[in-house]
Amino acid sequence: MVNFKRHILLPLLLATGLCAPSNLMADDQDFATDLSLGIKKDLTKRLDFSLGAGARLKNNSSELDRFSAEGGFSVAAIKKWVDLDAGYVFIADWNGPEDEYYSYRHRYNIGLDLYHKLGKRLTWDVRCKWQSSYRSEKMKTYKWDPKDYIRVRGGLDYKIKGLPLNAYASAEAFCSTNNPDGNDLDNMRYNLGVKYHLNKKNTFDLGFQVDDEMHVSKPKDRFMLCVGYKFKL
């Protein structure tokens, strides 16, 4: 018998109490939409490779914000407990109809994911990721380059009995590591959603995400509808 209270305490605190939402209603706000596609291929029993692409809309989902493409590897260092991953993301940000140009970013990341199933339905995970984003020098509208972050996320995933659905919730902190003006917690991200498993190869994801910026000159709170599809080769 699983000691539910003892095993669930840490991820629950990370997912809901790591950092309480700050004054969400005091900052500028936007409702956005994120669309994503992903492909995953198992290379061995412990190693897999993934590719993905995405598009994001801003200004109440009326204007193109960015395109992205990514790829990465993940290895099960300790089966059912620890995954290690590394990846690359290419990002093209659209700067609006007035400027009419794209700015580009190259993002590299490595991560450690701790996870485990509690019984048959509930899984907790804690992920720590380092990411570094290099920006195009053509239009220098930023203070430092590259911009590095440590991201820490706690989450829960629950398989709904009798249905091909998984409900999930998570909270993630973004901490800068090389800001010349001083490092700080710049953003808290909260996710809530459901995954629909059409079969073993096809999965649809519908979620809602909140980004709460803080300790920046012009903080913005983004409320985003996330729609995704993943195919397993």
Side-chain angles (χ1 to χ4, degrees), residues 28-59:
D28 290 338
Q29 297 177 10
D30 185 30
F31 183 81
T33 300
D34 183 80
L35 306 173
S36 64
L37 295 172
I39 299 174
K40 182 179 178 180
K41 171 65 176 178
D42 291 336
L43 302 178
T44 68
K45 290 183 178 181
R46 290 180 177 265
L47 178 66
D48 63 62
F49 174 69
S50 61
L51 291 172
R56 193 172 73 188
L57 304 175
K58 64 179 180 179
N59 292 338

Side-chain angles (χ1 to χ4, degrees), residues 1-223:
M1 181 67 65
V2 176
N3 187 329
F4 181 81
K5 291 183 179 180
R6 178 170 61 85
H7 283 83
I8 205 65
L9 180 59
L10 175 59
L12 185 60
L13 287 174
L14 286 169
T16 62
L18 178 62
C19 286
S22 65
N23 51 336
L24 280 173
M25 303 308 293
D27 303 332
D28 290 338
Q29 297 177 10
D30 185 30
F31 183 81
T33 300
D34 183 80
L35 306 173
S36 64
L37 295 172
I39 299 174
K40 182 179 178 180
K41 171 65 176 178
D42 291 336
L43 302 178
T44 68
K45 290 183 178 181
R46 290 180 177 265
L47 178 66
D48 63 62
F49 174 69
S50 61
L51 291 172
R56 193 172 73 188
L57 304 175
K58 64 179 180 179
N59 292 338
N60 294 320
S61 300
S62 64
E63 182 183 334
L64 177 65
D65 186 18
R66 69 164 49 168
F67 290 113
S68 63
E70 61 184 286
F73 292 90
S74 178
V75 58
I78 303 177
K79 193 173 182 180
K80 298 181 180 181
W81 278 100
V82 180
D83 283 354
L84 301 175
D85 58 76
Y88 164 78
V89 186
F90 173 77
I91 300 171
D93 289 313
W94 177 243
N95 289 275
E98 295 182 358
D99 296 324
E100 292 189 344
Y101 70 89
Y102 284 96
S103 59
Y104 303 107
R105 278 183 280 175
H106 302 275
R107 177 171 295 170
Y108 307 90
N109 59 76
I110 55 175
L112 170 69
D113 193 8
L114 307 176
Y115 63 95
H116 194 63
K117 294 187 69 173
L118 306 176
K120 295 182 178 180
R121 304 191 183 282
L122 186 65
T123 302
W124 65 265
D125 77 274
V126 178
R127 185 185 69 179
C128 183
K129 175 184 288 188
W130 172 82
Q131 74 174 36
S132 183
S133 299
Y134 291 80
R135 299 192 178 198
S136 168
E137 295 290 341
K138 183 178 180 180
M139 299 291 181
K140 192 168 183 178
T141 58
Y142 42 84
K143 291 183 178 180
W144 77 98
D145 190 42
K147 183 177 285 188
D148 298 342
Y149 280 94
I150 291 290
R151 298 168 53 174
V152 180
R153 186 191 72 185
L156 298 170
D157 183 282
Y158 181 77
K159 188 179 186 307
I160 300 175
K161 184 177 182 180
L163 295 173
L165 300 175
N166 283 58
Y168 62 86
S170 67
E172 185 171 16
F174 291 67
C175 303
S176 59
T177 61
N178 67 333
N179 188 340
D181 295 331
N183 297 313
D184 216 327
L185 174 65
D186 288 353
N187 186 52
M188 281 298 301
R189 174 173 293 173
Y190 306 91
N191 283 280
L192 183 67
V194 62
K195 294 180 181 179
Y196 170 61
H197 304 279
L198 180 64
N199 49 46
K200 291 183 178 180
K201 293 183 176 294
N202 298 273
T203 301
F204 296 89
D205 192 333
L206 179 63
F208 187 71
Q209 178 177 299
V210 178
D211 280 290
D212 178 20
E213 287 189 331
M214 58 194 77
H215 305 130
V216 295
S217 58
K218 296 181 180 179
K220 175 178 287 189
D221 299 322
R222 179 185 289 119
F223 303 87

